[in-house]
């Protein structure tokens, strides 16, 4: 899980430079439309695996958000960006808040579910917190049908003289298992000009559309998959919506 990775631990304070909030605007807008596909008016939204709150920066304009993450340092980053939102430390596989929401949102933090059991428990958590007539939206980076080996890069400079750049390289060492591997290299620059380089290996889950459909149905949702492609050079991305019957 994410607590194993420095990205979400001692390096969490760099997250707004590694993956700036502005880069989440399109994903958040697409997710908001999916959340509003619920058959009830959507105001109160639970986000599982909210990380540094970069989706919340955009979604809070439309919804009242409760943000849940496993990493206290990432929650601290999010609180600075989204002080008006409720923040809760918790594991998306086990969380039970004892209240229901109009909709539940799980962005790419769901990628850290490496087994069908963990993914199923996350889907069950979403169902337990989704009111009748509500919807749950899951946005994994990959499914078995859409996965392609890829590289990515990014980063930004801060107003305080710090800067961050990263390179990521993702591939599937064994197509017969349920995870893929990403090698990240970070270059972090302090205000005094000194730099450090960090290398980290992440494992993230990959499941077929059939598995997603089965787990959503098994939890009690009526499932729907939407496939989105942002352009000819971008691999398609599946978004899963679970509607809870009214």
């Amino acid at each position: 899980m994410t607590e194993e990775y420095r990205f979400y631990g001692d390096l969490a304070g760099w997250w707004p430079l590694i993956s700036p909030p502005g880069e989440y605007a399109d994903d958040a807008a697409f997710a908001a439309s999916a959340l509003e596909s619920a058959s009830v008016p959507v105001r109160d939204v639970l986000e599982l695996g909210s990380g540094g709150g970069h989706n919340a920066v955009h979604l809070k304009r439309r919804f009242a958000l409760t943000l849940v993450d496993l990493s206290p340092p990432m929650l601290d980053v999010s609180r600075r960006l989204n002080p008006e939102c409720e923040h809760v430390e918790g594991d998306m596989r086990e969380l039970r808040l004892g209240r229901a929401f109009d909709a539940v949102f799980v962005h790419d933090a769901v990628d850290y579910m490496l087994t069908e059991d963990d993914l199923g428990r996350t889907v069950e958590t979403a169902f337990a917190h989704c009111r009748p007539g509500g919807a749950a939206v899951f946005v994994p980076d990959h499914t078995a049908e859409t996965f392609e080996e890829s590289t990515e890069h990014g980063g930004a400079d801060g107003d305080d003289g710090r800067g961050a750049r990263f390179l990521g390289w993702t591939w599937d060492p064994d197509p017969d298992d349920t995870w893929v591997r990403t090698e990240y290299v970070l270059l972090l620059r302090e205000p005094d000009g000194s730099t450090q380089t960090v290398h980290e290996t992440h494992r993230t889950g990959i499941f077929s559309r059939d598995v997603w459909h089965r787990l959503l149905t098994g939890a009690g949702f009526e499932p729907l998959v939407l496939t989105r492609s942002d352009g000819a050079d971008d691999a398609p991305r599946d978004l899963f919506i679970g509607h809870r019957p009214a």
Side-chain angles (χ1 to χ4, degrees), residues 2-3 5-16 46-57 60 65-92 95 97 109:
T2 57
E3 74 271 20
Y5 300 118
R6 294 188 64 193
F7 267 34
Y8 314 120
D10 65 297
L11 298 178
W14 292 90
W15 192 245
L46 173 67
E47 183 178 357
L48 301 174
S50 55
H54 291 185
N55 280 299
V57 166
K60 67 185 180 183
L65 299 175
T66 297
L67 306 177
V68 176
D69 200 83
L70 190 60
S71 165
M74 291 294 274
L75 288 171
D76 288 342
V77 172
S78 181
R79 288 188 183 99
R80 290 193 288 272
L81 286 173
N82 306 295
E84 65 272 57
C85 298
E86 179 183 1
H87 289 78
V88 178
E89 181 184 343
D91 188 326
M92 67 175 71
L95 182 78
L97 295 177

Side-chain angles (χ1 to χ4, degrees), residues 133-192:
V137 175
F138 303 84
V139 191
D141 275 337
H142 311 288
T143 53
E145 291 82 0
T146 65
F147 179 78
E148 297 178 4
E149 182 174 331
S150 62
T151 59
E152 58 181 322
H153 61 88
D157 298 325
D159 296 334
D160 58 358
R162 296 192 310 160
R165 298 293 185 271
F166 81 90
L167 173 67
W169 180 16
T170 301
W171 73 94
D172 189 354
D174 182 358
D176 292 328
D177 62 22
T178 59
W179 59 271
V180 297
R181 175 174 175 174
T182 303
E183 298 290 340
Y184 287 107
V185 178
L186 298 178
L187 184 61
L188 307 175
R189 185 189 65 205
E190 298 286 359
D192 63 4

Side-chain angles (χ1 to χ4, degrees), residues 196-213:
Q196 63 169 312
T197 302
V198 178
H199 169 235
E200 189 160 80
T201 302
H202 288 222
R203 291 198 304 162
T204 51
I206 182 169
F207 302 93
S208 69
R209 292 169 183 155
D210 284 346
V211 167
W212 275 97
H213 189 282

